[in-house]
């Protein structure tokens, strides 16, 4: 959920919430209702208290004062419903407080008061009303000799009066209380679901951002791998061309041809990479939802770019149809000899040795991700030799084992007679190699040798590509080393 949407929804809810009332009232409307009920109850109690005083021979002001004390108790019915019911029971013998008792019982039943307490007070109210009605009816029957009702009349009418005064408010209060609690429960559940949906939306946005960052990282690494090596060789050949242009025109011509070939190959690979991105961006399209299709478009870019880079696209959130197991056609171990030959043609004294079963480098022996990772490690290591150790002798060792493939690139100290090529260094080449190897569950070690050179070693499990998300899914930018 966006910040603007959340603020708008919060503002709408604030407008829907009634103004809070004073003291213990949640709303002003409730306070006004209680004040009106308290005034009506007070008026009733005063009138009935005055009549009761005349009947029992007490001074009328005493009955009025009793009514003024008992009637306003309805003001506290929401805060102390038990007190209201007890006061109504206390004034029942004085034939007053009917409204007080009815409203008090309703409030008590609708509140969170324990059901035992509610049942006890309701029973006391029934008993008090029944006894008061029974005595009044007996007195009226005894006062009128001409009226002789059946014997069951007084008890039945007393019981009926007690139930009529007590049962309806209690039952209605129980219903309202249960309904209120149900509504509150549903509202809490809705709020919980809303919070959960908000968390899910935030997580989805985080996953989409993570996927975008992964794609940027992977594209940066692939751009470096397919272009930086050939550009580095072009710079080396150009430096050699400049050195021998006047002394050995024939060698200069060969170097110029190599520079042209390297440039064309670099442009071809760069065009393929950009073509993948352009095709994915065009086919992804933009839906009416705007930025909501961004993860799907990134997934399309991932699957197509992975097909060119030599892995299976496995970015979280990718559409199954786009990332469904595309087998890559990137560089393989069979192309290592050509890679070493290119460095040898650039003037590097490099030797390639392969240990293991004959024909083990045939494409398809290992997963595409394994072969590409080994190839990229050798490529980056040779590029670093060109950059940092011009004129040094290098050796590339490849070993095929039962459950893994190992590679080592070692170079000696730089030849002081060779002029440095002046190639820029991003300082992240070793980081990129380590990320590739560890993403497949392998081991990567690099460091200087005792002879003053440098050694890069990597061991990649043969089944690494099957368990990892691809050799290019590790975090961090692996630009040129």
């Amino acid at each position: 959920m966006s910040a603007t949407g959340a603020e708008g929804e919060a503002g709408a809810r604030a407008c829907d919430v009634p103004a809070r009332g004073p003291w213990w009232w949640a709303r002003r409307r409730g306070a006004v209702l209680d004040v009106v009920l308290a005034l009506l109850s007070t008026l009733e109690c005063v009138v009935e208290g005055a009549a009761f005083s005349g009947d029992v021979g007490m001074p009328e002001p005493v009955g009025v004062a009793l009514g003024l004390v008992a009637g306003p108790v309805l003001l506290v019915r929401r805060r102390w419903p038990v007190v209201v019911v007890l006061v109504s029971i206390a004034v029942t013998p004085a034939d007053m407080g009917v409204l007080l008792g009815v409203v008090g019982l309703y409030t008590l039943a609708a509140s969170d008061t324990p059901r035992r307490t509610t049942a006890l007070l309701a029973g006391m109210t029934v008993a008090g009303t029944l006894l008061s009605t029974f005595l009044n009816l007996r007195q009226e029957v005894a006062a009128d000799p001409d009226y002789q009702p059946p014997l069951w009349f007084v008890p039945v009418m007393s019981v009926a009066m007690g139930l009529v005064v007590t049962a309806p408010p209690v039952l209605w209060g129980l219903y309202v209380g249960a309904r209120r609690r149900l509504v509150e429960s549903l509202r809490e559940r809705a709020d919980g679901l809303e919070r959960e949906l908000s968390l899910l939306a935030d997580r989805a946005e985080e996953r989409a951002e993570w996927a975008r960052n992964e794609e940027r990282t992977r594209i940066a690494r692939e751009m470096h791998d397919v272009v930086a090596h050939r550009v580095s060789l072009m710079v080396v050949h150009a430096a050699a061309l400049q050195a021998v242009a006047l002394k050995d025109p024939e060698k200069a011509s060969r170097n110029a041809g190599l520079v042209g070939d390297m440039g064309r190959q670099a442009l071809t690979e760069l065009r393929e990479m950009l073509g993948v991105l352009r095709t994915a961006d065009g086919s992804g399209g933009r839906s009416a939802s705007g930025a909501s299709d961004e993860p799907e478009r990134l997934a399309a870019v991932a699957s197509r770019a992975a097909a060119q880079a030599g892995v299976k696209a496995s970015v979280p959130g990718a559409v199954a149809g786009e990332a469904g197991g595309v087998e890559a056609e990137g560089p393989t171990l069979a192309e290592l000899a050509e890679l070493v030959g290119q460095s040898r043609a650039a003037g590097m004294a490099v030797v390639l040795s392969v240990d293991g079963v004959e024909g083990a480098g045939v494409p398809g022996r290992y997963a595409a991700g394994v072969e590409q990772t080994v190839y990229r490690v050798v490529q980056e290591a040779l590029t670093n030799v060109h950059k940092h150790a011009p004129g040094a002798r290098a050796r590339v060792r490849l070993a095929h084992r039962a459950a893994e493939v190992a590679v080592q690139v070692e170079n000696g100290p730089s030849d002081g007679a060779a002029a440095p090529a002046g190639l820029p260094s991003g300082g992240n080449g070793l980081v990129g190699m380590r990320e590739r190897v560890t993403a497949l569950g392998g081991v990567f070690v690099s460091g200087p040798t005792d002879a003053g050179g440098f050694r890069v070693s990597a061991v990649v499990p043969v089944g690494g590509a099957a368990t990892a998300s691809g050799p290019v899914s590790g975090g961090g930018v692996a630009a040129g080393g």
Side-chain angles (χ1 to χ4, degrees):
M1 180 184 296
S2 62
T4 304
E7 291 176 359
E9 185 175 354
R13 289 184 176 180
C15 294
D16 295 338
V17 175
R20 184 171 180 82
W23 295 344
W24 52 81
W25 286 284
R27 294 175 294 181
R28 293 180 181 177
R29 185 176 61 183
V32 173
L33 176 62
D34 287 356
V35 169
V36 173
L37 290 175
L39 291 176
L40 293 177
S41 176
T42 302
L43 180 61
E44 177 205 357
C45 290
V46 167
V47 173
E48 293 178 346
F52 177 74
S53 298
D55 293 340
V56 298
M58 289 192 311
E60 184 173 337
V62 175
V64 173
L66 182 61
L68 291 175
V69 172
V73 176
L74 272 181
L75 286 174
V76 298
R77 71 183 185 94
R78 299 178 189 268
R79 186 68 178 271
W80 298 294
V82 176
V83 174
V84 176
V85 176
L86 290 176
V87 171
S88 69
I89 295 173
V91 299
T92 298
D95 294 333
M96 60 193 304
V98 176
L99 180 62
L100 182 67
V102 170
V103 176
L105 286 173
Y106 162 79
T107 306
L108 178 67
S111 66
D112 295 330
T113 304
R115 290 291 169 258
R116 291 183 179 180
T117 303
T118 302
L120 176 62
L121 293 178
M124 293 173 61
T125 303
V126 171
T129 305
L130 187 151
L131 181 60
S132 176
T133 304
F134 181 82
L135 294 177
N136 289 335
L137 288 176
R138 287 290 300 271
Q139 185 178 0
E140 291 177 0
V141 170
D144 189 2
D146 297 331
Y147 180 66
Q148 295 295 330
L151 295 177
W152 56 264
F153 177 77
V154 174
V156 170
M157 290 301 297
S158 301
V159 173
M161 180 62 67
L163 294 178
V164 167
V165 173
T166 306
V170 171
L171 294 178
W172 182 251
L174 291 175
Y175 166 75
V176 172
R179 182 176 178 274
R180 181 185 302 142
R181 286 186 289 271
L182 176 61
V183 171
E184 292 177 355
S185 175
L186 293 176
R187 183 180 294 111
E188 292 178 358
R189 185 179 301 178
D191 292 340
L193 290 176
E194 183 178 357
R195 288 192 296 269
E196 184 176 354
L197 289 176
S198 178
L199 291 176
L200 291 176
D202 293 340
R203 291 180 182 177
E205 186 175 354
E206 291 176 359
R207 286 195 296 267
E209 182 64 24
W210 182 86
R212 285 192 289 267
N213 292 335
E214 287 294 307
E215 279 306 291
R216 295 188 187 101
T217 300
R218 196 193 59 75
I219 291 172
R221 184 183 290 115
E222 290 304 312
M223 294 287 288
H224 165 264
D225 289 339
V226 302
V227 176
H229 177 72
R230 299 195 184 280
V231 172
S232 299
L233 293 180
M234 289 172 59
V235 174
V236 173
H237 283 297
L241 176 61
Q242 183 179 9
V244 302
L246 299 179
K247 300 178 182 179
D248 191 347
E250 183 178 355
K251 186 175 181 180
S253 177
R254 289 197 304 271
N255 286 340
L258 291 174
V259 170
D261 292 339
M262 292 295 175
R264 283 186 288 272
Q265 292 176 5
L267 288 175
T268 299
E269 294 179 348
L270 179 60
R271 189 179 296 111
E272 291 177 354
M273 177 66 66
L274 296 178
V276 169
L277 296 177
R278 187 180 298 110
T279 301
D281 183 71
S283 63
R286 286 191 178 274
S287 63
S289 60
S292 62
D293 60 346
E294 186 70 13
E296 285 76 8
R297 295 194 300 105
L298 286 172
V301 172
S303 60
R304 289 178 172 84
Q308 296 288 338
V311 295
K312 296 181 180 180
S314 180
V315 177
V319 181
E322 293 290 340
V326 180
E327 191 67 28
E329 297 180 357
T332 63
L333 296 182
E335 301 176 23
L336 280 181
E338 180 182 354
L339 178 65
V340 173
Q342 292 173 0
S343 294
R344 188 180 295 115
M348 180 188 297
V350 56
V351 177
L352 171 64
S353 62
V354 180
D355 298 331
V357 180
E358 183 178 358
V362 177
R365 163 65 184 269
Y366 304 123
V370 174
E371 297 203 8
Q372 184 190 8
T373 297
V374 175
Y375 182 93
R376 296 303 188 195
V377 169
V378 176
Q379 185 183 56
E380 179 64 25
L382 293 177
T383 301
N384 288 341
V385 175
H386 285 294
K387 289 181 180 181
H388 307 295
R393 304 177 69 86
R395 182 178 181 86
V396 179
R397 297 183 178 91
L398 178 67
H400 302 281
R401 301 170 183 171
E404 61 189 17
V405 56
V407 64
Q408 183 182 88
V409 180
E410 182 177 354
N411 64 274
S414 175
D415 186 0
L423 292 169
S425 176
N428 293 317
L430 294 177
V431 176
M433 288 188 282
R434 183 183 303 278
E435 289 174 351
R436 285 183 176 276
V437 174
T438 55
L440 295 179
V443 178
F444 178 83
V445 179
S446 63
T449 62
D450 296 336
F454 200 83
R455 181 187 297 114
V456 172
S457 302
V459 178
V460 182
V462 173
T467 59
S469 61
V472 295
S473 64
V477 178

